[in-house]
Amino acid sequence: MPADAPRPDPEFKAWPEQELRRIGIWCCGGLQESLAARRLLNTLHATHPQASLIVLGARDALAFFEMDERVAAFLPLNALEPPRPTQGRVARYLENRASFKKLRGLQLDACVSVMPVDNETLYSQIKRSWRLFVRMLAFRPERAIAVQPLLANPVSYQAEALQPGPQAIAYANQVYHHAPPRCVKVLVYLGKATESLSVLQQREEFASQLIQRRRSELLGTMGHELFVSTLVVTTGNRLLRRQLTANLGSLTLVNWNQLIGHMAYVDWVLPVSPDITAIAAEMGRQKVIFPL
């Protein structure tokens, strides 16, 4: 099987523990891929406790690993970022090749790649980069495994809760410092900026109606008023940011790190997007999900 083909049943236990000192986890910045990489950490930490686990990821993925004690290091890779608008395939290949040469010093004994699933274009780009990476670092075929997010947890082990990092806490402190006293902090996460605008608008309308209809339940017996934060996760795409600001109501554009910071502070989360339910579960904060 080619090294870049996602495998349905990765057998990490078959890797000889005594020979593996450093294992890499290759992770692009998507939510499902990052959560899958965290599940891989659970598995690899249990099956190879002596190995150092090094995450090679897109910069956006750092929010999911910076406080994880199982991660020996997080190394951002341009190869896992979307290509720049003016960057051709040859230029990207040469850039990736130069960066992969530097990674030889890591002396990785094995590596697992979590491949993107909801973007065919990105999947093709990441697959080409992964193939070059495997060739440049001269992995044996059985030591370079590509998996799909839904198949990235072959064995269930005790997970470490996702924790916000210092920047996430500082950001959330700044946001909620101005919240009125005895308010109930409500988070409405509409989704990612790359999702359909009509879907984001439908979620915003649903959340607004839900708040009006069940305001007393949200307030409970202690709250005097609601402090609602409506969020969309986006990257540095300026055109997309302008479109969202123009077409949606009062919202805040955040990155994954800032969203996780919000999650550490809120009293209620309206689950209008399935992504936020997954993040709450990863943080061990299922109780803040408001029952619909």
Side-chain angles (χ1 to χ4, degrees), residues 12 25 36-45 112 114 147 152 154:
F12 303 114
I25 298 177
R38 286 179 55 81
R39 291 194 291 271
L40 280 175
L41 281 172
N42 298 336
T43 304
L44 292 170
H45 185 67
V112 187
V114 182
V147 297

Side-chain angles (χ1 to χ4, degrees), residues 1-8 10 111-115 130 144-148:
M1 180 179 290
D4 55 15
R7 302 187 180 192
C111 193
V112 187
S113 168
V114 182
M115 304 300 286
W130 169 248
I145 298 176
V147 297
Q148 295 173 335

Side-chain angles (χ1 to χ4, degrees), residues 215-238:
R215 184 179 182 86
S216 60
E217 294 178 58
L218 287 165
L219 285 171
T221 58
M222 300 297 293
H224 285 180
E225 59 181 299
L226 299 179
F227 186 85
V228 181
S229 300
T230 304
L231 309 180
V232 171
V233 165
T234 184
T235 57
N237 189 320
R238 294 181 180 179

Side-chain angles (χ1 to χ4, degrees), residues 12-13 38-49 70 152-161 282:
F12 303 114
K13 287 184 177 180
R38 286 179 55 81
R39 291 194 291 271
L40 280 175
L41 281 172
N42 298 336
T43 304
L44 292 170
H45 185 67
T47 57
H48 298 81
R70 299 166 300 180
N153 192 21
V155 185
S156 178
Y157 294 103
Q158 182 65 37
E160 183 171 319
E282 196 74 14

Side-chain angles (χ1 to χ4, degrees), residues 130-276:
W130 169 248
R131 185 182 300 161
L132 175 63
F133 173 78
V134 170
R135 188 167 70 247
M136 292 286 293
L137 273 71
F139 285 114
R140 299 207 302 265
E142 68 274 13
R143 297 285 180 89
I145 298 176
V147 297
Q148 295 173 335
L150 295 178
L151 305 172
N153 192 21
V155 185
S156 178
Y157 294 103
Q158 182 65 37
E160 183 171 319
L162 173 62
Q163 299 289 338
Q167 289 185 345
I169 292 293
Y171 169 80
N173 267 327
Q174 185 178 12
V175 171
Y176 292 110
H177 175 72
H178 302 289
R182 294 187 64 185
C183 71
V184 174
K185 297 180 284 293
V186 179
L187 173 64
V188 179
Y189 170 67
L190 301 181
K192 299 181 287 292
T194 51
E195 295 185 62
S196 165
L197 179 59
S198 61
V199 170
L200 297 178
Q201 289 173 327
Q202 289 172 6
R203 289 173 179 169
E204 182 187 37
E205 183 179 355
F206 175 78
S208 177
Q209 293 174 354
L210 182 64
I211 291 172
Q212 292 178 11
R213 194 170 62 248
R214 302 179 65 181
R215 184 179 182 86
S216 60
E217 294 178 58
L218 287 165
L219 285 171
T221 58
M222 300 297 293
H224 285 180
E225 59 181 299
L226 299 179
F227 186 85
V228 181
S229 300
T230 304
L231 309 180
V232 171
V233 165
T234 184
T235 57
N237 189 320
R238 294 181 180 179
L239 177 60
L240 191 56
R241 293 170 72 95
R242 285 198 300 267
Q243 290 174 343
L244 287 170
T245 304
N247 289 281
L248 292 172
S250 177
L251 64 86
T252 304
L253 302 177
V254 297
N255 55 32
W256 291 120
N257 190 49
Q258 293 166 336
L259 175 62
I260 292 171
H262 273 278
M263 283 292 297
Y265 274 75
V266 294
D267 302 302
W268 287 117
V269 173
L270 303 188
V272 296
S273 167
D275 287 351
I276 201 65

Side-chain angles (χ1 to χ4, degrees), residues 47-106:
T47 57
H48 298 81
Q50 303 304 317
S52 296
L53 303 178
I54 300 172
V55 178
L56 311 170
R59 285 174 176 80
D60 283 349
L62 174 60
F64 297 95
F65 303 101
E66 65 174 323
M67 301 301 291
D68 198 317
E69 295 182 353
R70 299 166 300 180
V71 178
F74 179 94
L75 301 179
L77 283 185
N78 287 336
L80 291 166
E81 304 285 349
R84 298 184 295 275
T86 58
Q87 187 180 40
R89 286 187 60 177
V90 174
R92 184 172 176 83
Y93 169 82
L94 294 175
E95 181 182 63
N96 290 347
R97 191 171 185 273
S99 66
F100 293 160
K101 275 187 177 181
K102 298 177 183 178
L103 294 179
R104 289 174 176 172
L106 289 176

